[in-house]
Amino acid sequence: GAVVSQHPSWVICKSGTSVKIECRSLDFQATTMFWYRQFPKQSLMLMATSNEGSKATYEQGVEKDKFLINHASLTLSTLTVTSAHPEDSSFYICSASNPSDTDTQYFGPGTRLTVL
Amino acid sequence: AQRVTQPEKLLSVFKGAPVELKCNYSYSGSPELFWYVQYSRQRLQLLLRHISRESIKGFTADLNKGETSFHLKKPFAQEEDSAMYYCALSEGIYNFNKFYFGSGTKLNVKP
């Protein structure tokens, strides 16, 4: 099956610092990965689409300078929350599509970010 | 624009009772609809998708284009079905297979 991992699983940082979250597809190559944000007891909100070798496309209302996305290889996408503030505290989830089954997205376990 | 609507935040049923989790969508093209499930402390995982017309863990869902619905049904709920259920819509390959999720319904199956 398709497995997606995220690292770290949780992170606590001080306000004003930057935090990088990694998303890896472990057993397939993903040309496209997706980043979501999930607030407590709410649904997943699509933040951006990460495309290997090109710029990410952001959903309306998501600050691209705040949430930097880099898809450096076919198995790795990173999300960097820059100059983090307490309101950025959330659960960040990535997903990837297996090229052999592009209809379906496979999700990572998520990263809990807490900004103090 | 809200593409996927799940009107119920919480649904409680007794074991053995039928269950229906509602999902309505708004999309002008030909959507691809999915149900994802999230068990306690686990990641989201695919439950079923409309194009495969399969039954997983006793759950089925039929795409009704006239009513723009994709309700999830199971005739006899089990305690292990307790989880968060998310309906999702994909805009297909023409929009990078982006997924949009409903707000989710928490299913609680009581013994």
Side-chain angles (χ1 to χ4, degrees):
Chain A
V3 179
V4 176
S5 71
Q6 280 183 244
H7 177 80
S9 55
W10 58 270
V11 57
I12 301 173
C13 69
K14 292 183 178 180
S15 185
T17 61
S18 295
V19 175
K20 180 186 286 188
I21 302 170
E22 294 184 350
C23 176
R24 293 182 186 271
S25 55
L26 298 184
D27 52 359
F28 65 98
Q29 293 183 329
T31 53
T32 304
M33 292 183 171
F34 303 87
W35 286 96
Y36 297 83
R37 185 172 179 177
Q38 186 177 31
F39 292 101
K41 299 187 178 182
Q42 294 189 32
S43 186
L44 286 77
M45 181 191 78
L46 179 64
M47 298 175 65
T49 304
S50 173
N51 304 297
E52 189 270 336
S54 64
K55 291 183 179 180
T57 54
Y58 292 80
E59 294 298 298
Q60 191 173 10
V62 178
E63 298 176 62
K64 60 181 181 181
D65 295 329
K66 174 76 172 175
F67 300 99
L68 300 180
I69 292 173
N70 184 21
H71 197 146
S73 76
L74 288 172
T75 59
L76 173 64
S77 174
T78 60
L79 168 68
T80 302
V81 183
T82 62
S83 187
H85 289 283
E87 56 265 31
D88 298 324
S89 298
S90 191
F91 197 55
Y92 292 89
I93 304 172
C94 75
S95 71
S97 295
N98 188 333
S100 66
D101 184 19
T102 55
D103 291 339
T104 303
Q105 290 193 18
Y106 297 91
F107 286 82
T111 297
R112 172 75 60 193
L113 169 64
T114 301
V115 184
L116 302 176
Chain B
Q2 185 72 22
R3 291 173 173 83
V4 182
T5 304
Q6 292 179 251
E8 303 141 328
K9 284 192 174 182
L10 172 66
L11 185 62
S12 288
V13 300
F14 285 102
K15 176 183 173 181
V19 63
E20 180 180 66
L21 287 79
K22 291 184 168 53
C23 172
N24 288 89
Y25 67 89
S26 173
Y27 184 60
S28 58
S30 294
E32 297 174 25
L33 275 300
F34 302 77
W35 276 98
Y36 277 80
V37 60
Q38 188 171 31
Y39 299 103
S40 179
R41 299 182 185 277
Q42 294 188 27
R43 72 183 69 192
L44 271 167
Q45 50 187 284
L46 177 67
L47 181 61
L48 55 78
R49 48 186 163 176
H50 88 271
I51 58 172
S52 56
R53 300 184 65 82
E54 57 197 344
S55 173
I56 303 295
K57 299 184 179 182
F59 285 98
T60 59
D62 290 318
L63 178 61
N64 186 323
K65 291 187 177 181
E67 295 182 358
T68 60
S69 67
F70 188 57
H71 303 326
L72 182 68
K73 300 177 184 178
K74 185 170 182 176
F76 308 104
Q78 303 298 316
E79 289 182 67
E80 54 265 30
D81 295 329
S82 296
M84 278 294 294
Y85 290 81
Y86 294 96
C87 183
L89 177 149
S90 169
E91 295 184 343
I93 59 173
Y94 299 106
N95 199 13
F96 302 101
N97 292 308
K98 288 184 185 180
F99 271 45
Y100 296 94
F101 286 83
S103 53
T105 298
K106 183 174 183 178
L107 175 63
N108 180 29
V109 182
K110 297 176 284 188

